[in-house]
Amino acid sequence: MIDIIETKNQLYLKNKNYKVSLSILLGFLLGLYSLIFPYLNLLVSIVLFIIIIIFAFLPKEDRTFAFKLFCLALILRLLILAFVYSFTAKNGGWLFGDEWGISVYAWQIKDSIKEVGYPAVWQTPPPTSIFVRVPVSLGDYGINGYTYWVSLLYSLFGYVTLLPKIINSILGASTGILSYLIARAIFNRRVAVLSMILVTFFPSLIFWSVLNLKDTIFILLSMAILYFVIRFQKSKDPVYLPLLIIAMFFESTLRSNMLLIILILVICSYVIMLKKHHRNVLILAFFIGLAIFVFLNKPLFLKELKSWLSLLII
């Protein structure tokens, strides 16, 4: 009996030493590759942060499953990214014109800050730009928080067109985790697991997450806002309030027209949670405020109303 226990202990120590040696070797290789590809440290940091979230916030019974699902989703997205890039490499790796335009704008913003001290873009790139023969015609549509994010990546790591796509793939693979947390807070474990699987492998979400577009980050921030609202309502923990404000701010830099809709949804969710008496008072105050707003902006309101009516008649 003692011999069996000693044998098991020896095997455990042997496996432990093997894992430690493997970890040291992988760490050494990662450090070596990071000298060649400096952005590798950033990618590894994002992946590790997501793994920490999985093991810190998910219940113990679902952590391993969520981790495996995240790894599978990430590998799938990277394979699709490699497949798409192999067909678009001759065009600079861009599948859509918006991807190309955002990349051009991002590089021009980096150049302009260095040359004139403030961010600017040109319809015809200046001679110092690597896009000297590439005209841009996205207009204001291409200038948003995501463009500045890509510009920051280019400033730190150079013109690596795959970098924002890889980051989007990592973030896209993590959307299922937020979906799980939201569904678990509202429903139960079964619904949460099913939601995580469906969101993680939803075809259009996979496709958009391998492109240099803002949609992946926008969806992730939208889900984060929903989660922070639910957690704040349930726990009343004030820590969720600054997180909610920060997420809403960054989302507004991506799609400013969505900020009003998000604010209305957040306010409505709190109104629903109020007691009936307080809710009626708040609804009455809202309609009084709306009437005052319409009265003060009557010319503009009438003009918009006429335009809507004309569209309906047509």
Side-chain angles (χ1 to χ4, degrees), residues 19-33 40:
K19 291 178 180 178
V20 171
S21 301
L22 183 62
S23 300
I24 294 173
L25 178 62
L26 290 174
F28 173 76
L29 291 175
L30 182 62
L32 186 64
Y33 274 106
L40 194 60

Side-chain angles (χ1 to χ4, degrees), residues 40-79:
L40 194 60
N41 291 325
L42 174 63
L43 299 177
V44 172
S45 300
I46 297 173
V47 172
L48 288 177
F49 178 74
I50 294 170
I51 293 173
I52 289 171
I53 290 177
I54 292 174
F55 285 93
F57 290 94
L58 269 65
K60 187 178 293 185
E61 64 268 21
D62 293 326
R63 290 174 184 172
T64 303
F65 176 74
F67 172 71
K68 291 179 180 178
L69 195 72
F70 168 71
C71 292
L72 180 62
L74 179 57
I75 292 171
L76 176 64
R77 282 164 169 79
L78 292 177
L79 289 174

Side-chain angles (χ1 to χ4, degrees), residues 13-291:
L13 291 173
K14 187 177 179 180
N15 290 333
K16 187 177 181 181
N17 292 332
Y18 171 76
K19 291 178 180 178
V20 171
S21 301
L22 183 62
S23 300
I24 294 173
L25 178 62
L26 290 174
F28 173 76
L29 291 175
L30 182 62
L32 186 64
Y33 274 106
S34 65
L35 296 175
I36 305 172
F37 307 106
Y39 53 84
L40 194 60
N41 291 325
L42 174 63
L43 299 177
V44 172
S45 300
I46 297 173
V47 172
L48 288 177
F49 178 74
I50 294 170
I51 293 173
I52 289 171
I53 290 177
I54 292 174
F55 285 93
F57 290 94
L58 269 65
K60 187 178 293 185
E61 64 268 21
D62 293 326
R63 290 174 184 172
T64 303
F65 176 74
F67 172 71
K68 291 179 180 178
L69 195 72
F70 168 71
C71 292
L72 180 62
L74 179 57
I75 292 171
L76 176 64
R77 282 164 169 79
L78 292 177
L79 289 174
I80 294 174
L81 173 58
F83 177 77
V84 172
Y85 190 81
S86 66
F87 282 95
T88 58
K90 294 181 180 179
N91 300 324
W94 311 116
L95 191 62
F96 295 111
D98 285 2
E99 286 189 281
W100 177 255
I102 288 170
S103 187
V104 173
Y105 276 175
W107 188 265
Q108 287 188 0
I109 288 171
K110 181 196 78 70
D111 277 351
S112 65
I113 292 175
K114 185 185 296 184
E115 293 177 6
V116 297
Y118 58 88
V121 295
W122 298 268
Q123 288 297 313
T124 302
T128 55
S129 173
I130 62 171
F131 299 102
V132 65
R133 293 196 180 99
V134 183
V136 187
S137 57
L138 284 182
D140 293 337
Y141 172 78
I143 304 299
N144 50 63
Y146 182 75
T147 314
Y148 284 98
W149 161 244
V150 177
S151 179
L152 176 63
L153 293 177
Y154 288 169
S155 300
L156 294 174
F157 305 107
Y159 187 62
V160 184
T161 57
L162 273 176
L163 182 56
K165 298 183 180 186
I166 296 174
I167 293 176
N168 281 347
S169 298
I170 297 171
L171 297 179
S174 68
T175 51
I177 299 166
L178 269 175
S179 175
Y180 173 93
L181 292 172
I182 293 168
R184 189 66 187 260
I186 301 175
F187 303 105
N188 52 47
R189 178 175 180 263
R190 182 181 178 184
V191 175
V193 172
L194 181 61
S195 172
M196 178 169 58
I197 295 172
L198 292 176
V199 171
T200 300
F201 296 106
F202 196 71
S204 61
L205 293 182
I206 294 175
F207 178 70
W208 292 114
S209 66
V210 301
L211 303 176
N212 183 29
L213 298 173
K214 60 187 176 183
D215 300 83
T216 299
I217 297 179
F218 178 80
I219 293 170
L220 195 66
L221 285 172
S222 299
M223 297 178 72
I225 290 169
L226 180 58
Y227 176 70
F228 293 148
V229 168
I230 295 169
R231 293 304 303 165
F232 183 67
Q233 288 178 348
K234 286 180 174 291
S235 65
K236 307 299 180 186
D237 191 343
V239 72
Y240 291 106
L241 193 57
L243 292 174
L244 174 62
I245 294 171
I246 291 170
M248 291 178 68
F249 168 75
F250 281 111
E251 177 146 300
S252 68
T253 66
L254 299 177
R255 293 184 186 274
S256 57
N257 58 335
M258 290 297 295
L259 182 61
L260 180 60
I261 298 175
I262 292 167
L263 281 172
I264 292 173
L265 292 175
V266 171
I267 293 171
C268 287
S269 68
Y270 281 104
V271 170
I272 293 170
M273 296 294 290
L274 291 174
K275 293 181 179 179
K276 187 175 180 181
H277 172 70
H278 295 155
R279 191 188 310 163
N280 292 338
V281 172
L282 193 60
I283 292 172
L284 179 62
F286 170 77
F287 281 107
I288 292 174
L290 182 63

